[in-house]
C-alpha cells in the first residue's frame, strides 16, 4: 500500500503543480459556460417560458422567466460536472504517456513494484483529481446560485451528487488509463484530448438538448456512459427547480421537459431506470480495468 500512496501523491502533485494542464483540462467547462452565457442559456430559458405559456395559459411571466433561468442554470451545472470528470481525468492520466515517452515508466516497471500498483497509482490519481475538481465546481456553482438569489440544493441532493461525481470520476479514470495504454506519444495523446474535449459536450447532450439531435445519433449516445451520467446528475440538480418552474401544470409537462432536455433517457418503449444507468456506468469502469489488466499482462509476458 505504501508504494500506491507514493505513486498517488506523485501523480496528483504533478497535475496540480502544472497550472497550464489544470487550465486546459477545464477548457471544455469554460466553453460550456461561455455558450450558455452568450447563446444557449437564454435560448433554452425562453423555450421553457414559451412551453409554460402553452401548457398553463396566463401566467406570471416575470416569475416564470426567473424560475426558467434557475432551472437551466442547474441543468447546465450538472453537465459541467460531468464534463469535468471526463477532461480532468484524461489530463491527469496523460502524465503516464509523458512518463512513457521520457522512459520514466520503464524505470517503474523494472522496480520491485507490482504493475497493478503502478496502474492504481495512475487511476487513483486521475480519480482523485477528477472528483476534487468537480466537487470544487459544485461548490462554486452553489455560491453562484446564492449570489443570484437562488436557493441552495438540499443536503440529500448534495450527497447524491457527491456519490455520482465519485462514480463518474472512477469510470473516466479507468477509461483514460485504458486509452493511455494504447497511446505512445505526447502528440497522439494531445490529439485524443482535443477530440474528447470537443465531443464530450455533444455526447452528453450538453451543448444541444436531446430533442435537437437526430434519432440515429441518440441511439448511439444511449450506449455511452456520458449521457447516462449527465442524466442522473441533471435529475438531482433540477428536481426542486423543476417543481417550482412547472408548479400548477400537469405532470406530463415535466415529463416532456425531462425527455427533451436529456434528464430522462428513453430505452425502447420505457424510461431507463436509475439502477440500470448506474450499472451501465459501473460496467464501463469494470470492463476498462479488466481490459487494462489484460493488456498489462501481455506486455509483461512480451517483456520477458
Amino acid at each position: 500500500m505504501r508504494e500506491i500512496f507514493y505513486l498517488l501523491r506523485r501523480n496528483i502533485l504533478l497535475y496540480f503543480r502544472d497550472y497550464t494542464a489544470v487550465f486546459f483540462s477545464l477548457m471544455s467547462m469554460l466553453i460550456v459556460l461561455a455558450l450558455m452565457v452568450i447563446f444557449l442559456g437564454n435560448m433554452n430559458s425562453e423555450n421553457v417560458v414559451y412551453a409554460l405559456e402553452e401548457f398553463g395559459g396566463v401566467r406570471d411571466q416575470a416569475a416564470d422567466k426567473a424560475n426558467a433561468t434557475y432551472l437551466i442554470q442547474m441543468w447546465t451545472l450538472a453537465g459541467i460536472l460531468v464534463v469535468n470528470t471526463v477532461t480532468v481525468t484524461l489530463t491527469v492520466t496523460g502524465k503516464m504517456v509523458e512518463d512513457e515517452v521520457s522512459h520514466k515508466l520503464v524505470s517503474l516497471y523494472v522496480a520491485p513494484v507490482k504493475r497493478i500498483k503502478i496502474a492504481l497509482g495512475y487511476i487513483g490519481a486521475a480519480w482523485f483529481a477528477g472528483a476534487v475538481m468537480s466537487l470544487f465546481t459544485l461548490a462554486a456553482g452553489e455560491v453562484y446560485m446564492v449570489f443570484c438569489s437562488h436557493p441552495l440544493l438540499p443536503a440529500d441532493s448534495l450527497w447524491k451528487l457527491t456519490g455520482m461525481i465519485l462514480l463518474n470520476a472512477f469510470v473516466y479514470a479507468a477509461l483514460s488509463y485504458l486509452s493511455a495504454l494504447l497511446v505512445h506519444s505526447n502528440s497522439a495523446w494531445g490529439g485524443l484530448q482535443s477530440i474528447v474535449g470537443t465531443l464530450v459536450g455533444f455526447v452528453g447532450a450538453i451543448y444541444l438538448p436531446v430533442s435537437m439531435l437526430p434519432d440515429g445519433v441518440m441511439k448511439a449516445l444511449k450506449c455511452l456512459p456520458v449521457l447516462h451520467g449527465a442524466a442522473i446528475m441533471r435529475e438531482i440538480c433540477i428536481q426542486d427547480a423543476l417543481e417550482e418552474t412547472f408548479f400548477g401544470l400537469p405532470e406530463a409537462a415535466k415529463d416532456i421537459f425531462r425527455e427533451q432536455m436529456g434528464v430522462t433517457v428513453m430505452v425502447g418503449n420505457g424510461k431507463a431506470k436509475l439502477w440500470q444507468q448506474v450499472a451501465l456506468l459501473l460496467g464501463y469502469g469494470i470492463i476498462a480495468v479488466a481490459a487494462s489488466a489484460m493488456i498489462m499482462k501481455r506486455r509483461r509476458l512480451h517483456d520477458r
Side-chain angles (χ1 to χ4, degrees), residues 96-105 180 183-184 299:
M96 175 182 165
V97 179
E98 293 180 10
D99 288 343
E100 182 177 359
V101 173
S102 62
H103 304 294
K104 293 179 182 177
L105 192 58
V183 177
H184 307 289
R299 285 187 178 179

Side-chain angles (χ1 to χ4, degrees), residues 6 24 46 50 55 63 86 118 150 154 169 187 225 237 242 246 286 296:
Y6 286 132
F24 281 104
E46 287 180 352
Y50 177 76
F55 273 97
V86 175
I118 298 174
H150 298 314
S187 58
C237 283
L242 186 67
F246 286 82
I286 292 170
M296 291 176 67

Side-chain angles (χ1 to χ4, degrees), residues 23-276:
F23 173 79
F24 281 104
S25 67
L26 300 176
M27 181 61 72
S28 294
M29 178 195 76
L30 298 176
I31 292 173
V32 173
L33 282 175
L35 287 173
M36 287 298 166
V37 171
I38 301 173
F39 301 110
L40 302 178
N42 188 55
M43 179 185 71
N44 287 333
S45 60
E46 287 180 352
N47 289 339
V48 172
V49 172
Y50 177 76
L52 293 174
E53 292 175 351
E54 289 292 309
F55 273 97
V58 179
R59 295 175 59 91
D60 185 341
Q61 291 188 351
D64 282 347
K65 177 66 175 177
N67 291 331
T69 299
Y70 175 47
L71 177 61
I72 295 302
Q73 287 174 343
M74 294 304 296
W75 180 86
T76 303
L77 176 61
I80 290 173
L81 294 176
V82 175
V83 168
N84 279 357
T85 58
V86 175
T87 56
V88 173
T89 53
L90 198 65
T91 301
V92 177
T93 311
K95 298 300 178 182
M96 175 182 165
V97 179
E98 293 180 10
D99 288 343
E100 182 177 359
V101 173
S102 62
H103 304 294
K104 293 179 182 177
L105 192 58
V106 175
S107 300
L108 290 175
Y109 282 162
V110 298
V113 180
K114 293 182 178 179
R115 290 198 176 188
I116 185 62
K117 293 182 179 181
I118 298 174
L120 290 176
Y122 287 110
I123 295 175
W127 187 2
F128 177 84
V132 166
M133 295 301 289
S134 295
L135 289 171
F136 174 78
T137 302
L138 174 59
E142 285 290 84
V143 171
Y144 175 77
M145 295 303 168
V146 172
F147 180 78
C148 294
S149 301
H150 298 314
L152 289 171
L153 286 171
D156 62 328
S157 295
L158 292 174
W159 280 114
K160 291 175 183 177
L161 278 176
T162 299
M164 285 307 304
I165 287 172
L166 292 174
L167 174 58
N168 278 269
F170 161 70
V171 172
Y172 302 119
L175 289 171
S176 295
Y177 181 77
L178 175 59
S179 302
L181 288 174
L182 305 175
V183 177
H184 307 289
S185 70
N186 288 326
S187 58
W189 188 259
L192 177 64
Q193 280 186 280
S194 299
I195 293 172
V196 172
T198 302
L199 292 180
V200 64
F202 293 101
V203 173
I206 297 165
Y207 297 152
L208 294 174
V210 170
S211 58
M212 299 180 67
L213 298 175
D215 291 339
V217 174
M218 270 307 303
K219 289 180 180 178
L221 296 187
K222 290 175 184 178
C223 300
L224 301 177
V226 180
L227 180 63
H228 294 277
I232 298 172
M233 288 198 186
R234 285 167 181 157
E235 181 63 43
I236 299 170
C237 283
I238 72 166
Q239 187 173 7
D240 291 343
L242 186 67
E243 293 296 330
E244 185 70 22
T245 303
F246 286 82
F247 179 77
L249 297 183
E251 193 66 27
K254 302 174 190 176
D255 292 339
I256 291 174
F257 175 86
R258 285 191 176 98
E259 186 174 345
Q260 291 185 343
M261 298 299 288
V263 180
T264 297
V265 179
M266 303 300 296
V267 179
N269 296 324
K271 303 175 184 177
K273 296 179 174 60
L274 175 61
W275 71 267
Q276 293 173 325

